[in-house]
Amino acid sequence: MLEPGTLTLAATPIGNPLDASVRLVRALEQAEVIAAEDTRRLARLAADLEVTITAQVIAYHEHTERERTPALLEALRDGRRVLLVTDAGMPVVSDPGYRAVRAAIEEGLPVTVIPGPSAVLTALAASGLAPDRFAFEGFPPRRDGQRARVFSRLAREDRTLVFFESPRRTAATLAVMRDEFGPQRPAAVARELTKTYEEVRRGTLAELADWAAGTEVLGEIVLLVGGASTVAASPEELLEQVLARAEAGERLKDAAKAVAEGVAGVSSRELYDRALEHRRS
């Protein structure tokens, strides 16, 4: 039962409508105001679930959150049953809703959640990567340089890392991951989870980057990268290896890449930069 004057966030199926919870179905029937990321997707979901929606439906997405949050607060103050849903999965998590939650909390209005499907947890469970400690990093930056800097900072993270990505950028992102995390780092690509063409592809970042470069990647994408090993060579030892290979005639950039290849948590860029600094000093 939806409580009057309470903002209720509800998780929706990430693909298969049969994953909808009984609570979600009842919430859709009982709501007096529904803030939906895409009103057409909401109508399609209601049809799949054979639910008749009588609520006032408001389009609530990244371009309308700011201007429509006050209307949601007014409805809550009036004691109306307000439900917030996004296209798939949990609102707020890389989806609209955070602004409404913060505004309701600041006014002392109650907020509750109807749990349900999660692309992050579904992909993590199926990946075969360590699930005991993980970090969700959302969408990586779109520009290659910014992506490389973010991944370089995360290269020593020992938790499993989970990212969302557009299918159009998956190949490019995997290539940058390979360079920054190391080609032998274990990883997985999960696509179209719970849908007809669900696929979880597992391998090293080098293998997955090669696969993505040679195919048209389609569907909703989750990328997972295994955490860095807690046992690794010291930075000084790795630097010595790079310099030794360079002195033997190998290009400095190639030497850094070769040394980083077998070491978890160390990027070729980091070793290359350290070697350049050493040469200048």
Side-chain angles (χ1 to χ4, degrees), residues 80-129:
R80 302 177 75 185
R81 296 181 174 89
V82 179
L83 179 68
L84 193 153
V85 296
T86 50
D87 290 349
M90 181 63 68
V92 178
V93 181
S94 283
D95 271 335
Y98 178 72
R99 189 183 298 275
V101 170
R102 287 303 316 163
I105 291 172
E106 288 169 6
E107 291 212 14
L109 297 167
V111 177
T112 191
V113 176
I114 297 176
S118 164
V120 173
L121 296 180
T122 302
L124 181 65
S127 70
L129 300 173

Short mmCIF file of all heavy atoms in Angstrom, two decimals, residues 80-129:
data_model
loop_
_atom_site.label_atom_id
_atom_site.label_comp_id
_atom_site.label_asym_id
_atom_site.label_seq_id
_atom_site.Cartn_x
_atom_site.Cartn_y
_atom_site.Cartn_z
N ARG A 80 -0.64 13.35 -1.42
CA ARG A 80 -0.91 12.44 -2.53
C ARG A 80 0.13 11.32 -2.56
O ARG A 80 1.24 11.45 -2.04
CB ARG A 80 -0.92 13.21 -3.85
CG ARG A 80 -1.95 14.34 -3.85
CD ARG A 80 -1.90 15.14 -5.13
NE ARG A 80 -2.51 14.41 -6.25
CZ ARG A 80 -2.50 14.86 -7.50
NH1 ARG A 80 -1.92 16.02 -7.79
NH2 ARG A 80 -3.07 14.16 -8.46
N ARG A 81 -0.24 10.22 -3.17
CA ARG A 81 0.65 9.06 -3.28
C ARG A 81 1.50 9.24 -4.55
O ARG A 81 1.00 9.13 -5.66
CB ARG A 81 -0.16 7.76 -3.36
CG ARG A 81 -0.97 7.47 -2.09
CD ARG A 81 -1.74 6.16 -2.22
NE ARG A 81 -2.40 5.82 -0.97
CZ ARG A 81 -3.63 6.21 -0.64
NH1 ARG A 81 -4.33 6.95 -1.50
NH2 ARG A 81 -4.15 5.87 0.52
N VAL A 82 2.79 9.51 -4.34
CA VAL A 82 3.69 9.84 -5.45
C VAL A 82 4.67 8.69 -5.68
O VAL A 82 5.37 8.26 -4.76
CB VAL A 82 4.47 11.14 -5.16
CG1 VAL A 82 5.42 11.45 -6.32
CG2 VAL A 82 3.49 12.30 -4.95
N LEU A 83 4.71 8.22 -6.92
CA LEU A 83 5.59 7.12 -7.31
C LEU A 83 6.57 7.63 -8.36
O LEU A 83 6.19 8.34 -9.30
CB LEU A 83 4.76 5.98 -7.90
CG LEU A 83 5.52 4.73 -8.37
CD1 LEU A 83 6.15 4.00 -7.19
CD2 LEU A 83 4.57 3.81 -9.15
N LEU A 84 7.85 7.28 -8.21
CA LEU A 84 8.87 7.68 -9.18
C LEU A 84 9.51 6.42 -9.76
O LEU A 84 10.00 5.55 -9.03
CB LEU A 84 9.94 8.55 -8.50
CG LEU A 84 10.90 9.31 -9.43
CD1 LEU A 84 11.42 10.57 -8.74
CD2 LEU A 84 12.07 8.45 -9.89
N VAL A 85 9.46 6.30 -11.11
CA VAL A 85 10.05 5.15 -11.80
C VAL A 85 10.91 5.64 -12.95
O VAL A 85 10.69 6.72 -13.50
CB VAL A 85 8.97 4.18 -12.34
CG1 VAL A 85 8.17 3.57 -11.20
CG2 VAL A 85 8.04 4.90 -13.32
N THR A 86 11.90 4.83 -13.31
CA THR A 86 12.73 5.13 -14.47
C THR A 86 12.56 4.01 -15.49
O THR A 86 11.79 3.08 -15.29
CB THR A 86 14.20 5.32 -14.07
OG1 THR A 86 14.61 4.21 -13.26
CG2 THR A 86 14.37 6.60 -13.26
N ASP A 87 13.30 4.10 -16.59
CA ASP A 87 13.08 3.16 -17.69
C ASP A 87 13.38 1.72 -17.30
O ASP A 87 12.69 0.79 -17.73
CB ASP A 87 13.96 3.53 -18.88
CG ASP A 87 13.50 4.83 -19.55
OD1 ASP A 87 12.40 5.29 -19.21
OD2 ASP A 87 14.24 5.35 -20.39
N ALA A 88 14.43 1.52 -16.51
CA ALA A 88 14.82 0.16 -16.13
C ALA A 88 15.68 0.21 -14.88
O ALA A 88 16.55 1.07 -14.75
CB ALA A 88 15.61 -0.50 -17.26
N GLY A 89 15.43 -0.69 -13.95
CA GLY A 89 16.23 -0.74 -12.74
C GLY A 89 15.81 0.29 -11.70
O GLY A 89 14.68 0.78 -11.69
N MET A 90 16.76 0.62 -10.83
CA MET A 90 16.47 1.47 -9.67
C MET A 90 16.63 2.95 -9.99
O MET A 90 17.67 3.36 -10.50
CB MET A 90 17.42 1.09 -8.53
CG MET A 90 17.21 1.90 -7.26
SD MET A 90 15.57 1.66 -6.52
CE MET A 90 15.70 -0.05 -5.99
N PRO A 91 15.61 3.78 -9.73
CA PRO A 91 15.78 5.22 -9.86
C PRO A 91 16.98 5.70 -9.04
O PRO A 91 17.39 5.05 -8.08
CB PRO A 91 14.47 5.78 -9.31
CG PRO A 91 13.49 4.68 -9.48
CD PRO A 91 14.27 3.41 -9.26
N VAL A 92 17.54 6.83 -9.43
CA VAL A 92 18.67 7.49 -8.76
C VAL A 92 20.01 6.90 -9.21
O VAL A 92 20.98 7.63 -9.42
CB VAL A 92 18.57 7.45 -7.22
CG1 VAL A 92 19.78 8.11 -6.57
CG2 VAL A 92 17.29 8.13 -6.74
N VAL A 93 20.09 5.57 -9.37
CA VAL A 93 21.37 4.93 -9.73
C VAL A 93 21.60 5.09 -11.23
O VAL A 93 21.08 4.33 -12.05
CB VAL A 93 21.36 3.44 -9.33
CG1 VAL A 93 22.71 2.80 -9.68
CG2 VAL A 93 21.06 3.28 -7.85
N SER A 94 22.39 6.11 -11.60
CA SER A 94 22.62 6.48 -13.01
C SER A 94 21.30 6.75 -13.73
O SER A 94 21.18 6.55 -14.94
CB SER A 94 23.41 5.40 -13.76
OG SER A 94 24.77 5.46 -13.42
N ASP A 95 20.31 7.19 -12.99
CA ASP A 95 18.99 7.51 -13.52
C ASP A 95 18.43 8.70 -12.76
O ASP A 95 18.93 9.04 -11.67
CB ASP A 95 18.03 6.31 -13.35
CG ASP A 95 18.07 5.36 -14.54
OD1 ASP A 95 18.42 5.81 -15.65
OD2 ASP A 95 17.74 4.18 -14.37
N PRO A 96 17.37 9.34 -13.28
CA PRO A 96 16.76 10.46 -12.56
C PRO A 96 16.21 10.04 -11.20
O PRO A 96 15.92 8.86 -10.97
CB PRO A 96 15.62 10.89 -13.50
CG PRO A 96 16.02 10.40 -14.84
CD PRO A 96 16.76 9.12 -14.61
N GLY A 97 16.05 11.01 -10.31
CA GLY A 97 15.45 10.75 -9.01
C GLY A 97 16.18 11.36 -7.84
O GLY A 97 15.58 11.68 -6.81
N TYR A 98 17.50 11.56 -7.98
CA TYR A 98 18.28 12.07 -6.86
C TYR A 98 17.81 13.45 -6.42
O TYR A 98 17.69 13.73 -5.22
CB TYR A 98 19.76 12.13 -7.23
CG TYR A 98 20.64 12.69 -6.13
CD1 TYR A 98 20.90 11.95 -4.98
CD2 TYR A 98 21.20 13.96 -6.25
CE1 TYR A 98 21.70 12.46 -3.97
CE2 TYR A 98 22.00 14.47 -5.25
CZ TYR A 98 22.25 13.72 -4.11
OH TYR A 98 23.04 14.24 -3.11
N ARG A 99 17.50 14.31 -7.38
CA ARG A 99 17.07 15.66 -7.04
C ARG A 99 15.77 15.62 -6.23
O ARG A 99 15.61 16.35 -5.24
CB ARG A 99 16.86 16.48 -8.32
CG ARG A 99 16.61 17.97 -8.06
CD ARG A 99 16.36 18.69 -9.39
NE ARG A 99 17.50 18.60 -10.27
CZ ARG A 99 18.53 19.43 -10.23
NH1 ARG A 99 18.57 20.40 -9.35
NH2 ARG A 99 19.54 19.29 -11.08
N ALA A 100 14.83 14.75 -6.61
CA ALA A 100 13.57 14.65 -5.89
C ALA A 100 13.78 14.09 -4.48
O ALA A 100 13.17 14.56 -3.51
CB ALA A 100 12.59 13.75 -6.65
N VAL A 101 14.67 13.10 -4.36
CA VAL A 101 14.95 12.52 -3.04
C VAL A 101 15.55 13.57 -2.12
O VAL A 101 15.12 13.71 -0.96
CB VAL A 101 15.89 11.31 -3.19
CG1 VAL A 101 16.39 10.84 -1.83
CG2 VAL A 101 15.18 10.17 -3.91
N ARG A 102 16.55 14.30 -2.61
CA ARG A 102 17.19 15.32 -1.78
C ARG A 102 16.18 16.39 -1.36
O ARG A 102 16.15 16.83 -0.21
CB ARG A 102 18.34 15.97 -2.52
CG ARG A 102 19.57 15.13 -2.67
CD ARG A 102 20.14 14.64 -1.36
NE ARG A 102 20.20 15.69 -0.34
CZ ARG A 102 20.34 15.48 0.96
NH1 ARG A 102 20.40 14.24 1.42
NH2 ARG A 102 20.40 16.48 1.81
N ALA A 103 15.36 16.83 -2.30
CA ALA A 103 14.38 17.89 -2.00
C ALA A 103 13.37 17.41 -0.96
O ALA A 103 13.01 18.16 -0.04
CB ALA A 103 13.67 18.31 -3.28
N ALA A 104 12.91 16.16 -1.09
CA ALA A 104 11.94 15.63 -0.11
C ALA A 104 12.58 15.52 1.27
O ALA A 104 11.97 15.89 2.29
CB ALA A 104 11.44 14.27 -0.58
N ILE A 105 13.80 15.03 1.33
CA ILE A 105 14.48 14.89 2.62
C ILE A 105 14.68 16.24 3.29
O ILE A 105 14.48 16.40 4.50
CB ILE A 105 15.84 14.17 2.43
CG1 ILE A 105 15.61 12.71 2.04
CG2 ILE A 105 16.71 14.27 3.68
CD1 ILE A 105 16.86 11.97 1.64
N GLU A 106 15.07 17.23 2.50
CA GLU A 106 15.31 18.57 3.06
C GLU A 106 14.05 19.19 3.63
O GLU A 106 14.11 20.02 4.54
CB GLU A 106 15.91 19.48 1.98
CG GLU A 106 17.37 19.12 1.66
CD GLU A 106 17.89 19.81 0.43
OE1 GLU A 106 17.14 20.68 -0.12
OE2 GLU A 106 19.02 19.52 0.01
N GLU A 107 12.90 18.78 3.10
CA GLU A 107 11.63 19.31 3.63
C GLU A 107 11.02 18.40 4.69
O GLU A 107 9.91 18.65 5.16
CB GLU A 107 10.63 19.51 2.48
CG GLU A 107 11.01 20.64 1.54
CD GLU A 107 9.80 21.32 0.95
OE1 GLU A 107 8.68 21.10 1.45
OE2 GLU A 107 9.98 22.09 -0.01
N GLY A 108 11.73 17.35 5.04
CA GLY A 108 11.22 16.45 6.07
C GLY A 108 10.12 15.54 5.60
O GLY A 108 9.35 15.00 6.41
N LEU A 109 10.02 15.33 4.29
CA LEU A 109 8.99 14.47 3.73
C LEU A 109 9.53 13.04 3.61
O LEU A 109 10.69 12.84 3.24
CB LEU A 109 8.56 14.98 2.35
CG LEU A 109 7.91 16.37 2.35
CD1 LEU A 109 7.81 16.92 0.93
CD2 LEU A 109 6.53 16.31 3.00
N PRO A 110 8.72 12.04 3.89
CA PRO A 110 9.23 10.65 3.90
C PRO A 110 9.53 10.14 2.50
O PRO A 110 8.85 10.47 1.52
CB PRO A 110 8.08 9.87 4.55
CG PRO A 110 6.87 10.71 4.37
CD PRO A 110 7.32 12.13 4.37
N VAL A 111 10.57 9.31 2.43
CA VAL A 111 11.00 8.67 1.18
C VAL A 111 11.14 7.17 1.45
O VAL A 111 11.72 6.78 2.46
CB VAL A 111 12.35 9.23 0.69
CG1 VAL A 111 12.80 8.49 -0.57
CG2 VAL A 111 12.26 10.73 0.43
N THR A 112 10.62 6.35 0.56
CA THR A 112 10.76 4.90 0.70
C THR A 112 11.06 4.28 -0.66
O THR A 112 10.92 4.94 -1.69
CB THR A 112 9.50 4.28 1.32
OG1 THR A 112 9.76 2.92 1.68
CG2 THR A 112 8.32 4.32 0.35
N VAL A 113 11.47 3.02 -0.64
CA VAL A 113 11.90 2.35 -1.88
C VAL A 113 11.25 0.98 -2.00
O VAL A 113 11.18 0.22 -1.03
CB VAL A 113 13.44 2.18 -1.89
CG1 VAL A 113 13.88 1.40 -3.12
CG2 VAL A 113 14.13 3.54 -1.85
N ILE A 114 10.77 0.68 -3.21
CA ILE A 114 10.32 -0.67 -3.55
C ILE A 114 11.47 -1.31 -4.33
O ILE A 114 11.74 -0.92 -5.46
CB ILE A 114 9.04 -0.63 -4.40
CG1 ILE A 114 7.89 -0.02 -3.60
CG2 ILE A 114 8.68 -2.04 -4.87
CD1 ILE A 114 6.61 0.14 -4.40
N PRO A 115 12.19 -2.25 -3.71
CA PRO A 115 13.37 -2.82 -4.38
C PRO A 115 12.97 -3.70 -5.56
O PRO A 115 11.82 -4.08 -5.72
CB PRO A 115 14.05 -3.63 -3.27
CG PRO A 115 12.92 -4.01 -2.36
CD PRO A 115 11.95 -2.86 -2.39
N GLY A 116 13.98 -4.05 -6.35
CA GLY A 116 13.70 -4.89 -7.51
C GLY A 116 14.93 -5.11 -8.36
O GLY A 116 16.06 -5.05 -7.86
N PRO A 117 14.74 -5.32 -9.65
CA PRO A 117 15.85 -5.66 -10.54
C PRO A 117 16.95 -4.61 -10.56
O PRO A 117 16.68 -3.41 -10.45
CB PRO A 117 15.17 -5.77 -11.92
CG PRO A 117 13.74 -6.07 -11.62
CD PRO A 117 13.45 -5.32 -10.35
N SER A 118 18.19 -5.08 -10.71
CA SER A 118 19.35 -4.19 -10.76
C SER A 118 20.34 -4.74 -11.79
O SER A 118 20.80 -5.88 -11.66
CB SER A 118 20.02 -4.10 -9.39
OG SER A 118 21.33 -3.56 -9.50
N ALA A 119 20.66 -3.94 -12.80
CA ALA A 119 21.62 -4.38 -13.80
C ALA A 119 23.00 -4.58 -13.18
O ALA A 119 23.75 -5.48 -13.56
CB ALA A 119 21.70 -3.36 -14.93
N VAL A 120 23.35 -3.73 -12.20
CA VAL A 120 24.65 -3.83 -11.54
C VAL A 120 24.80 -5.19 -10.86
O VAL A 120 25.79 -5.92 -11.07
CB VAL A 120 24.84 -2.70 -10.52
CG1 VAL A 120 26.12 -2.90 -9.71
CG2 VAL A 120 24.86 -1.34 -11.21
N LEU A 121 23.85 -5.55 -10.02
CA LEU A 121 23.94 -6.79 -9.26
C LEU A 121 23.77 -8.02 -10.15
O LEU A 121 24.41 -9.06 -9.94
CB LEU A 121 22.92 -6.80 -8.13
CG LEU A 121 23.12 -5.71 -7.06
CD1 LEU A 121 22.05 -5.83 -5.99
CD2 LEU A 121 24.50 -5.80 -6.44
N THR A 122 22.90 -7.93 -11.15
CA THR A 122 22.70 -9.05 -12.06
C THR A 122 23.99 -9.35 -12.82
O THR A 122 24.41 -10.51 -12.94
CB THR A 122 21.56 -8.74 -13.05
OG1 THR A 122 20.37 -8.46 -12.32
CG2 THR A 122 21.31 -9.91 -13.98
N ALA A 123 24.63 -8.30 -13.35
CA ALA A 123 25.88 -8.49 -14.08
C ALA A 123 26.98 -9.00 -13.17
O ALA A 123 27.77 -9.88 -13.55
CB ALA A 123 26.29 -7.17 -14.74
N LEU A 124 27.05 -8.45 -11.97
CA LEU A 124 28.09 -8.87 -11.02
C LEU A 124 27.96 -10.35 -10.69
O LEU A 124 28.94 -11.10 -10.67
CB LEU A 124 28.01 -8.03 -9.76
CG LEU A 124 29.04 -8.33 -8.66
CD1 LEU A 124 30.44 -8.01 -9.15
CD2 LEU A 124 28.71 -7.53 -7.40
N ALA A 125 26.72 -10.79 -10.43
CA ALA A 125 26.50 -12.19 -10.07
C ALA A 125 26.88 -13.14 -11.21
O ALA A 125 27.35 -14.25 -10.96
CB ALA A 125 25.04 -12.39 -9.68
N ALA A 126 26.68 -12.71 -12.45
CA ALA A 126 26.93 -13.57 -13.60
C ALA A 126 28.35 -13.48 -14.14
O ALA A 126 28.76 -14.30 -14.96
CB ALA A 126 25.95 -13.23 -14.72
N SER A 127 29.12 -12.50 -13.68
CA SER A 127 30.42 -12.20 -14.28
C SER A 127 31.49 -13.23 -13.97
O SER A 127 32.43 -13.41 -14.75
CB SER A 127 30.91 -10.82 -13.82
OG SER A 127 31.25 -10.85 -12.44
N GLY A 128 31.40 -13.86 -12.81
CA GLY A 128 32.47 -14.74 -12.38
C GLY A 128 33.60 -14.00 -11.70
O GLY A 128 34.61 -14.61 -11.31
N LEU A 129 33.47 -12.69 -11.54
CA LEU A 129 34.47 -11.89 -10.84
C LEU A 129 34.12 -11.81 -9.36
O LEU A 129 32.97 -12.02 -8.98
CB LEU A 129 34.55 -10.49 -11.45
CG LEU A 129 34.93 -10.45 -12.93
CD1 LEU A 129 34.80 -9.04 -13.47
CD2 LEU A 129 36.35 -10.98 -13.15
#
